[in-house]
Amino acid sequence: MVRTQVVDAHGLTLSGDRNRTEAQKLMRTSGCPSQSQHLIDDLRPAGTRCTVPLVLIGDDQRVRGPVIHQLHGLSEFSVCRTQDQERIRLCDRAVHTRAEHGSPEADTSDGADQQEDQRSAQHSTENCTTTAHAFHCRAHEASTECGYLETMRVIVTGGAGYIGSHTCVRLLEEGHDVAVLDNFENSQPESLQRVQDIAGRDLSIHRGDVRDTGSFADFFDVWRPEAVIHFAGLKSVGESVAEPERYYTTNVQGTVNVAQAAVKAGASSFVFSSSATVYSPEAQMPVDETAELRPGNPYGWSKRMAEQVLTDIQAAQPQLSMALLRYFNPVGAHPSGRLGEDPRGVPANLMPYMARVADGTYPALKVFGDDYPTPDGTGVRDYVHVVDLADAHLAALDAVGASSGVLTWNVGRGTGISVLEMVEAFERVTGREIPIERVDRRAGDSATSFAEVSEISRRSPWRAIRGVDEMVRDLWQWQSMNPQGYATGITNEAFKS
Ligand SMILES: O=c1ccn([C@@H]2O[C@H](COP(=O)(O)OP(=O)(O)O[C@H]3O[C@H](CO)[C@H](O)[C@H](O)[C@H]3O)[C@@H](O)[C@H]2O)c(=O)[nH]1
């Protein structure tokens, strides 16, 4: 039995008598799709507007999305049930206007929904471009009357990777239609199977390589994304020093190719996975987005160049708004324990290595340098939980949808923590001992790196809400449940046909 309750966009309580009444009505009707038309009629007396966006959440307290608001003007509104979750299906005149401007005709609804709500399905195939016509409001406007943002068709390049897979879950949970472009060179298709299991919805998967336009041009043409989130790329600093041409081809030329495809497909939003490595290793901390860009290695330069490529393309194609997200140190895993970082070979980064010391794979953690000008002499970094980072992409989509030009945001927590502090947190949270071995500094490392995050805070409601203990807890759960990463899952072979 599914129970549905209605809360405001912050997941808190409803405010306003009318919304309490609406909540009661929604709850009364939630188990009975056939009553949905009554619900519309009740909620939509002529000229009324919903001043507080409403969110559906299930028994497990997960937001089932999408958020409803601005009921005024809706021509169709129904509550659909699929096995264990509620879905809201909305259509309005804006959708039809968009269709007239050439959006694709594809109907991506699933059969179960159609059977369960014949009327809605009929409407969606006759009049609408997609079935997930949910409307939601930017959370920072939640307490006021607000404009709407439709769920979108989003292509995610590199969606099978660490940050990409977590972002796909959040996109699906928010009601977006998602298609992944990935070459699975550094990732496993199994991660996408798990993404779909967690979100309870399907996504499209296309094997292609961002270096080879021919491998994905048709995919963009057919899928016609409204938004593109571009993760696909290489990310090892050491590897980039040894093979710079590979980094520039993949990260720079690949970005040119994806941006061109996005323009050609008529996308209006583009979010790029950049990195704090674009700043100088000597930058003053906290570093803000206006700081000098002087990367210390080819990987950082490839991100720096890709940012410039996108900025110039945006200037020439003003209909395509962009966000450049400069990640600090993403760590942690999905709280389900089913998604996480799955590095090839010996992990180069602190947290995945530490997790393998904890499970006995390696005898000790090498602490690279204890003579830095930091409180305990070890390197200080701004670690951000990967689910918070995924949410930053959704915040960026909202923000670029509401503006034009290029947004550049640091994505971190705005505070630093040292290697030894992280070891202490890991031992405390997991109860495992982490033997350490103090060794020389690692070439190219800086003493301290943490973000100034006022820009993202000013332009969006996003906040990093998960602390270090949660990062460690989720990482350890992932490591414990998946000691071989995704290796025991579906292999790449399964996707070659
Ligand atoms: O085995 C290890 C691994 C790391 N460290 C230390 O732990 C800190 C974090 O190191 P990571 O390798 O985890 O992360 P980095 O800050 O070096 O680099 C990460 O963040 C960068 C942005 O700041 C880039 O995005 C880069 O790709 C990404 O790996 C550093 O002080 C490093 O010296 C150790 O002591 N032992």
Side-chain angles (χ1 to χ4, degrees):
M1 176 66 187
V2 175
R3 181 173 55 83
T4 302
Q5 62 182 106
V6 184
V7 295
D8 74 19
H10 300 293
L12 302 175
T13 52
L14 286 159
S15 60
D17 287 338
R18 197 179 72 221
N19 284 305
R20 259 196 294 279
T21 309
E22 288 165 2
Q24 287 160 359
K25 286 173 183 166
L26 264 179
M27 290 166 90
R28 271 207 309 275
T29 56
S30 62
C32 183
S34 63
Q35 291 180 18
S36 58
Q37 191 59 46
H38 296 300
L39 184 63
I40 304 168
D41 294 338
D42 286 350
L43 289 182
R44 199 173 49 124
T48 57
R49 291 167 77 93
C50 176
T51 56
V52 176
L54 308 176
V55 185
L56 289 182
I57 61 175
D59 271 341
D60 60 359
Q61 299 300 303
R62 281 175 54 196
V63 173
R64 290 300 187 199
V67 181
I68 318 163
H69 79 106
Q70 208 170 2
L71 294 172
H72 171 62
L74 297 180
S75 57
E76 183 74 33
F77 169 42
S78 61
V79 180
C80 305
R81 300 187 67 196
T82 55
Q83 293 180 343
D84 65 346
Q85 65 175 301
E86 306 280 343
R87 282 174 68 184
I88 294 290
R89 176 173 290 159
L90 306 172
C91 297
D92 91 347
R93 288 189 290 273
V95 173
H96 303 153
T97 305
R98 206 164 55 82
E100 284 156 20
H101 284 83
S103 289
E105 294 299 321
D107 178 5
T108 57
S109 63
D110 59 60
D113 273 359
Q114 291 189 10
Q115 284 168 12
E116 297 218 30
D117 192 327
Q118 193 63 41
R119 178 184 167 81
S120 180
Q122 187 183 358
H123 177 85
S124 66
T125 50
E126 283 176 1
N127 300 315
C128 299
T129 54
T130 70
T131 56
H133 296 314
F135 291 76
H136 68 92
C137 137
R138 288 172 283 283
H140 64 284
E141 295 170 334
S143 59
T144 61
E145 200 164 281
C146 51
Y148 60 75
L149 189 67
E150 197 175 317
T151 54
M152 290 186 287
R153 300 166 62 79
V154 187
I155 285 185
V156 181
T157 74
Y162 175 44
I163 304 166
S165 58
H166 287 80
T167 303
C168 286
V169 169
R170 293 294 298 117
L171 289 166
L172 290 170
E173 286 177 342
E174 288 297 313
H176 296 288
D177 293 328
V178 180
V180 167
L181 169 69
D182 207 302
N183 67 359
F184 300 108
E185 187 179 300
N186 202 12
S187 61
Q188 296 285 336
E190 169 67 6
S191 69
L192 293 176
Q193 187 55 52
R194 296 185 184 190
V195 164
Q196 295 172 93
D197 291 347
I198 291 167
R201 290 184 56 211
D202 290 346
L203 44 69
S204 302
I205 302 171
H206 181 83
R207 180 187 282 274
D209 193 312
V210 295
R211 292 167 296 193
D212 173 13
T213 310
S215 73
F216 65 86
D218 287 352
F219 169 59
F220 270 68
D221 284 348
V222 170
W223 226 78
R224 297 196 76 77
E226 291 147 306
V228 175
I229 306 182
H230 178 39
F231 291 103
L234 302 172
K235 61 170 189 177
S236 162
V237 171
E239 202 177 61
S240 78
V241 175
E243 304 172 74
E245 66 288 347
R246 204 170 137 235
Y247 271 67
Y248 292 120
T249 308
T250 307
N251 292 1
V252 184
Q253 185 61 51
T255 299
V256 174
N257 294 344
V258 172
Q260 273 178 334
V263 168
K264 189 160 171 277
S268 56
S269 302
F270 195 102
V271 178
F272 177 60
S273 167
S274 189
S275 165
T277 43
V278 296
Y279 298 118
S280 161
E282 281 85 46
Q284 283 293 314
M285 298 296 155
V287 62
D288 73 27
E289 293 84 352
T290 63
E292 183 192 5
L293 303 181
R294 194 159 49 80
N297 53 66
Y299 164 66
W301 275 109
S302 71
K303 289 291 183 185
R304 164 86 184 86
M305 290 176 179
E307 285 193 358
Q308 189 62 48
V309 163
L310 293 173
T311 303
D312 293 344
I313 288 176
Q314 199 287 323
Q317 305 284 346
Q319 78 285 358
L320 181 62
S321 301
M322 303 230 180
L324 312 176
L325 302 188
R326 295 174 179 163
Y327 312 152
F328 279 69
N329 288 59
V331 296
H334 194 270
S336 65
R338 304 201 65 217
L339 293 180
E341 190 172 9
D342 186 15
R344 278 180 308 174
V346 180
N349 296 116
L350 178 68
M351 295 308 286
Y353 196 96
M354 202 183 302
R356 281 165 181 73
V357 173
D359 76 1
T361 306
Y362 303 117
L365 173 74
K366 292 185 176 63
V367 174
F368 297 143
D370 62 0
D371 56 351
Y372 284 109
T374 60
D376 63 19
T378 64
V380 167
R381 295 290 183 274
D382 188 342
Y383 298 94
V384 56
H385 194 293
V386 65
V387 177
D388 280 338
L389 182 54
D391 276 336
H393 295 78
L394 277 80
L397 278 183
D398 271 8
V400 294
S403 63
S404 57
V406 180
L407 296 173
T408 307
W409 292 349
N410 284 342
V411 190
R413 296 173 72 231
T415 55
I417 170 170
S418 74
V419 174
L420 293 183
E421 286 172 325
M422 197 50 116
V423 169
E424 186 277 324
F426 200 103
E427 291 184 328
R428 178 170 43 75
V429 170
T430 66
R432 298 274 169 148
E433 192 192 348
I434 306 293
I436 63 166
E437 182 188 344
R438 294 169 190 262
V439 300
D440 288 346
R441 294 181 181 189
R442 184 171 64 179
D445 271 358
S446 59
T448 303
S449 167
F450 61 99
E452 169 60 56
V453 288
S454 54
E455 181 65 8
I456 187 170
S457 302
R458 193 170 65 78
R459 301 294 296 264
S460 83
W462 182 87
R463 302 286 180 276
I465 56 175
R466 294 164 181 84
V468 170
D469 285 9
E470 215 166 335
M471 299 174 199
V472 170
R473 183 198 69 196
D474 293 339
L475 166 62
W476 181 234
Q477 181 176 232
W478 155 255
Q479 183 65 31
S480 308
M481 287 172 63
N482 307 272
Q484 309 302 323
Y486 296 114
T488 50
I490 303 166
T491 67
N492 285 354
E493 294 303 315
F495 276 74
K496 280 188 174 154
S497 51

